[in-house]
């Protein structure tokens, strides 16, 4: 089943990348990832810590946010703001919306028996909100600052991607696993089997990076001023460590013994990440290579002095790209 998002020229002009993750959508992705055994290398330790720290009241949220199923919109909508502000707004959800969202879920999946009276029992609803806040405190709160920092790097890379390849390239490459650009329609395969059409009507689309949504994209049509589509962040946050280390960084650094022997383990990873992300800033390079910004700057300087990298400055930002010599080095057998 495919969900189709229809673009006009105005929609393409107004489509943008969010500079931050959205708390409820990211929490929904984290709750689903918690329930899956996949990506054990990246999330295994995080799952074990989370499951050890969760209290019994977490079951309420786990009952309503399930893998490959719809969840009530009021729990996973594209609300902007700090996590604390957004969670407080959930507590004020009108009864009519609670009832409507639950009816929508029940049309496709059975609700847990306790949830059927949720709209009319405010004490029960407040306990659900307590459960939601508890889930956030365990799953996301310890890591939210870094997720927010990574999102800043993400928007920089995606913006340059749009500038060099156009909006159609940005849309087609956001999540190749389940998103396909078939001009003028963006086709999104949904794990819940959602089928339908969304006319943007000049509003454009907000693309939001997700650090726990590693495979599937989520759509929120009711967000203002424009609908939201999540996609797997290209600068992934590593739940095992306070320092971001994308899965490919270690592979690159150890997968080419000759390059690592010549340049050193970390400097080789820096060079390869510049090759894969031309025009990346020093901060973005640090996130990609899993090092601190001063370390990334030091290695980029050494590579530049060797003629392998060139650096241009845009205002106060250094942007790194490969030289012909750097390309030849990486392409040599």
């Amino acid at each position: 089943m495919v969900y189709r998002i229809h673009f006009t020229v105005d929609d393409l002009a107004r489509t943008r990348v969010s500079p931050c993750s959205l708390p409820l959508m990211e929490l929904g992705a984290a709750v689903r990832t918690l329930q899956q055994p996949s990506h054990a290398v990246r999330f295994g330790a995080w799952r074990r810590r989370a499951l050890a720290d969760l209290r019994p009241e977490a079951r309420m949220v786990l009952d309503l946010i399930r893998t490959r199923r719809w969840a009530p919109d009021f729990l996973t909508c594209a609300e902007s703001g700090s996590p604390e502000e957004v969670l407080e707004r959930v507590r004020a959800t009108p009864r009519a919306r609670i009832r409507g969202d639950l009816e929508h879920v029940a049309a496709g999946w059975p609700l847990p028996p306790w949830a059927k009276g949720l709209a009319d029992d405010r004490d029960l609803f407040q306990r659900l909100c307590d459960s939601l806040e508890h889930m956030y405190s365990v799953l996301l709160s310890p890591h939210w600052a870094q997720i927010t920092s990574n999102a800043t790097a993400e928007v920089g890379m995606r913006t340059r991607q749009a500038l060099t390849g156009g909006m159609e390239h940005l849309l087609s490459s956001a999540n190749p696993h389940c998103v396909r650009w078939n001009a003028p329609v963006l086709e999104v395969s949904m794990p819940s089997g959602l089928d339908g059409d969304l006319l943007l009507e000049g509003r454009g689309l907000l693309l939001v990076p997700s650090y726990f949504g590693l495979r599937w994209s989520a759509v929120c049509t009711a967000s203002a001023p424009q609908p939201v589509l999540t996609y797997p962040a290209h600068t992934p946050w590593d739940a095992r460590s306070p320092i971001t280390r994308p899965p490919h960084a270690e592979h690159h650094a150890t997968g080419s013994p000759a390059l690592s022997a010549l340049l050193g383990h970390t400097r080789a990873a820096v060079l390869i990440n510049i090759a894969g992300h031309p025009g990346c800033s020093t901060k973005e390079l640090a996130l990609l290579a899993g090092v601190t910004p001063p370390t990334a700057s030091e290695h980029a300087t050494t590579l530049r002095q060797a003629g392998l990298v060139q650096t241009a400055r845009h205002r106060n930002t250094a942007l790194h790209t490969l030289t012909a010599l750097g390309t030849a080095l990486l392409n040599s057998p």
Side-chain angles (χ1 to χ4, degrees):
M1 307 294 280
V2 175
Y3 192 72
R4 296 164 294 276
I5 303 175
H6 297 259
F7 284 75
T8 65
V9 173
D10 287 341
D11 293 316
L12 287 172
R14 293 185 176 120
T15 292
R16 58 193 180 93
V17 181
S18 173
C20 58
S21 292
L22 300 178
L24 289 182
M25 295 194 84
E26 194 64 40
L27 181 56
V31 171
R32 290 185 168 100
T33 296
L34 180 69
Q35 299 174 68
Q36 302 176 71
S38 59
H39 302 284
V41 171
R42 183 171 175 189
F43 288 117
W46 170 82
R47 283 193 190 95
R48 289 190 293 273
R49 288 195 301 267
L51 291 172
D53 291 341
L54 286 176
R55 298 194 297 265
E57 58 264 34
R59 175 50 56 189
M60 297 181 78
V61 169
L62 292 169
D63 282 347
L64 290 177
I65 303 179
R66 303 291 300 277
T67 303
R68 293 179 176 268
R69 293 191 181 187
W70 300 337
D73 254 3
F74 64 81
L75 289 180
T76 60
C77 61
E79 285 277 347
S80 60
S82 71
E84 294 75 18
E85 292 170 340
V86 170
L87 290 167
E88 191 60 32
R89 282 182 223 147
V90 175
R91 291 188 179 274
T93 305
R95 291 183 178 183
R97 180 176 180 184
I98 298 171
R99 186 175 294 108
D101 287 354
L102 291 175
E103 288 175 354
H104 178 71
V105 172
W109 314 99
L111 288 172
W114 64 264
K116 294 177 181 177
L118 197 58
D120 300 312
D121 188 334
R122 294 307 290 184
D123 289 339
L124 180 63
F125 182 71
Q126 293 305 315
R127 290 203 298 275
L128 173 62
C129 293
D130 292 341
S131 175
L132 189 67
E133 290 190 4
H134 173 56
M135 292 294 277
Y136 168 75
S137 70
V138 173
L139 302 187
L140 286 190
S141 180
H143 320 290
W144 189 252
Q146 191 184 3
I147 289 174
T148 300
S149 176
N150 282 23
T152 302
E154 178 72 21
V155 71
M157 284 190 291
R158 292 294 180 177
T159 299
R160 281 195 293 279
Q161 186 179 37
L163 289 174
T164 56
M167 288 304 300
E168 293 187 353
H169 175 59
L170 173 62
L171 292 169
S172 63
S173 61
N175 187 2
H177 169 71
C178 68
V179 176
R180 177 173 177 264
W181 175 249
N182 185 14
V185 178
L186 193 67
E187 299 173 342
V188 185
S189 299
M190 307 291 284
S192 61
L194 179 65
D195 185 16
D197 293 87
L198 171 63
L199 303 179
L200 294 176
E201 299 177 322
R203 293 172 295 171
L205 187 68
L206 181 64
L207 299 172
V208 178
S210 176
Y211 295 87
F212 283 91
L214 296 182
R215 190 169 177 85
W216 300 100
S217 286
V219 178
C220 183
T221 62
S223 60
Q226 54 195 162
V228 163
L229 174 73
T230 67
Y231 67 91
H234 197 64
T235 52
W237 157 78
D238 190 334
R240 298 167 295 168
S241 167
I243 298 177
T244 299
R245 182 173 295 278
H248 61 271
E250 183 176 353
H251 169 73
H252 283 320
T254 60
S256 178
L259 187 65
S260 294
L262 177 65
L263 299 178
H265 179 94
T266 303
R267 194 166 295 155
V270 168
L271 182 67
I272 290 173
N273 277 295
I274 292 174
H277 306 86
C280 61
S281 70
T282 302
K283 182 177 180 180
E284 293 162 357
L285 180 59
L287 289 168
L288 289 164
V291 297
T292 64
T295 299
S297 178
E298 178 185 347
H299 286 304
T301 298
T302 301
L303 293 169
R304 182 171 65 253
Q305 293 170 344
L308 302 175
V309 167
Q310 61 184 8
T311 301
R313 298 201 71 86
H314 176 66
R315 296 180 181 175
N316 295 323
T317 303
L319 305 176
H320 309 287
T321 55
L322 226 58
T323 63
L325 180 60
T327 301
L329 176 62
L330 290 181
N331 289 336
S332 61

